Amino acid sequence: MKKKMVSAVLAAVMSTVMLMGCGSSKETAAEAPAETAAAETAPAAEEAEGEATEAAAGELAEDVQAIVDRGVLRVGVKNAVVGFGFEDPATGEYSGMEIDLANKIAESLGVDVEFTAVTAATRTELLDSGDIDCVLATFTITDERKKSWDFTTPYFTDHVGVLVEDSSGITDLSGLVDKSVGVSSGSTSAKSLVEAMIEAGLITGDGYNAETFDPATWTDDISFKQYEDYPSISTALSAGEVDAFCVDKSILAIYNTDGRSYISEEFAPQDYGVATTKGSGLSDYVEGLVTGWLSDGTIDGLIANYGLN
Ligand code: GLU
């Protein structure tokens, strides 16, 4: 009960901090990773720190207390997804709604934040190895993944899209039959695309099994090439190594350059949640924050601020 009240107070404090700091999203992000962030948000942050310390005395779970004691929350984020997690190549500064959320979690704990750029393939390894405490990286909540990691209530819902070179003449899902599609290792993309094509009646789906589906071995009317990161898929698309590039539209946006277009369909809603170690105290802590920020309009504010709706 007390914890909930503390969270509510913190949520209110933090939304004030956010409103003060979010006149320009870049500015907020620029401050974010800096060690001076806490000082700059005083007195609100001071108050928040006081609350966290008070809660820590009797109520914080052991793993959350360990983060407070360490003084740093280590977060896995994307570095090339504009509006979510983007690292300015010139300054090294991060910006995006996932960056702001990570900062707010750290602020509520009264600690600094440290960002590690992750990919779809590395984010879970780094979480499992303990190199990072949580993941805010366009990480889609799926039943399969929930068996291995905890996810908060979703803070954003995206859809999967497909990017092609205009010269390919492909304009919709039907144009992808018998084509090769670039996807990221460890992503939901290939499975989402195959399911969308089966649903559209474009491929039979004989032999499709949601449990055992593997992009590496699927060759039934569409095939996939898997890459470690998104820039590699973009290069492969330019080189004609693949006919299309499939992933969430938030991620595709930065690669939608002149001479390229999305096919007309988007599909497979992708609910993004904060991922934490299964059964950890941090899972409960972050869930409390996220649900608070969903109900008090903080998350809607971030979505609007980054033009994501
Ligand atoms: N959001 C999708 C997933 O979690 C796409 C991959 C990615 O986030 O990079 O699989």
Side-chain angles (χ1 to χ4, degrees):
M1 195 56 200
K2 189 177 170 202
K3 196 169 173 187
K4 270 196 185 149
M5 274 176 55
V6 169
S7 298
V9 169
L10 290 179
V13 169
M14 289 312 133
S15 57
T16 312
V17 170
M18 191 201 78
L19 286 175
M20 288 175 357
C22 281
S24 148
S25 56
K26 280 212 175 116
E27 251 169 50
T28 307
E31 288 164 10
E35 280 175 27
T36 51
E40 282 168 13
T41 53
E46 237 168 54
E47 199 179 315
E49 195 168 339
E51 297 281 4
T53 311
E54 193 186 303
E59 292 194 36
L60 287 185
E62 218 174 293
D63 60 299
V64 181
Q65 183 62 52
I67 294 166
V68 172
D69 293 345
R70 188 205 296 143
V72 180
L73 178 72
R74 299 168 309 187
V75 187
V77 295
K78 289 294 185 76
N79 65 359
V81 186
V82 175
F84 290 84
F86 181 76
E87 185 181 14
D88 185 320
T91 63
E93 286 161 9
Y94 279 91
S95 64
M97 81 169 287
E98 290 175 331
I99 303 304
D100 288 354
L101 287 172
N103 280 320
K104 288 164 63 53
I105 296 167
E107 281 165 9
S108 100
L109 288 163
V111 299
D112 290 337
V113 68
E114 181 184 291
F115 296 122
T116 298
V118 299
T119 66
T122 65
R123 60 193 165 192
T124 50
E125 290 163 18
L126 291 167
L127 189 58
D128 290 346
S129 65
D131 287 302
I132 54 178
D133 303 308
C134 57
V135 176
L136 283 104
T138 67
F139 200 1
T140 303
I141 305 164
T142 66
D143 287 342
E144 187 61 29
R145 289 173 176 170
K146 280 201 279 191
K147 291 180 193 157
S148 304
W149 304 282
D150 284 333
F151 288 86
T152 61
T153 301
Y155 52 81
F156 188 82
T157 302
D158 196 18
H159 286 83
V160 176
V162 179
L163 187 67
V164 293
E165 295 284 346
D166 292 339
S167 57
S168 71
I170 299 169
T171 56
D172 59 16
L173 276 179
S174 70
L176 294 174
V177 174
D178 291 332
K179 296 290 194 275
S180 166
V181 180
V183 294
S184 166
S185 313
S187 73
T188 51
S189 316
K191 192 173 176 182
S192 299
L193 180 53
V194 166
E195 286 180 358
M197 291 185 71
I198 292 170
E199 204 166 304
L202 293 167
I203 60 181
T204 66
D206 289 347
Y208 176 76
N209 179 331
E211 303 279 304
T212 58
F213 175 79
D214 180 0
T217 53
W218 184 268
T219 52
D220 189 1
D221 296 330
I222 187 162
S223 64
F224 297 95
K225 286 198 175 119
Q226 297 184 83
Y227 296 83
E228 287 311 305
D229 55 46
Y230 296 113
S232 306
I233 308 180
S234 182
T235 306
L237 182 64
S238 298
E241 208 176 282
V242 292
D243 302 299
F245 177 176
C246 176
V247 72
D248 308 0
K249 289 188 100 170
S250 60
I251 298 170
L252 276 180
I254 198 171
Y255 305 104
N256 185 11
T257 48
D258 279 355
R260 291 177 167 184
S261 302
Y262 296 126
I263 64 162
S264 49
E265 298 93 339
E266 59 174 32
F267 42 90
Q270 303 287 303
D271 286 337
Y272 297 162
V274 184
T276 41
T277 302
K278 201 159 182 59
S280 64
L282 189 61
S283 303
D284 292 340
Y285 188 89
V286 176
E287 173 66 4
L289 292 177
V290 169
T291 51
W293 294 331
L294 282 166
S295 58
D296 72 5
T298 299
I299 287 182
D300 279 346
L302 289 176
I303 290 171
N305 192 31
Y306 287 102
L308 302 174
N309 46 3

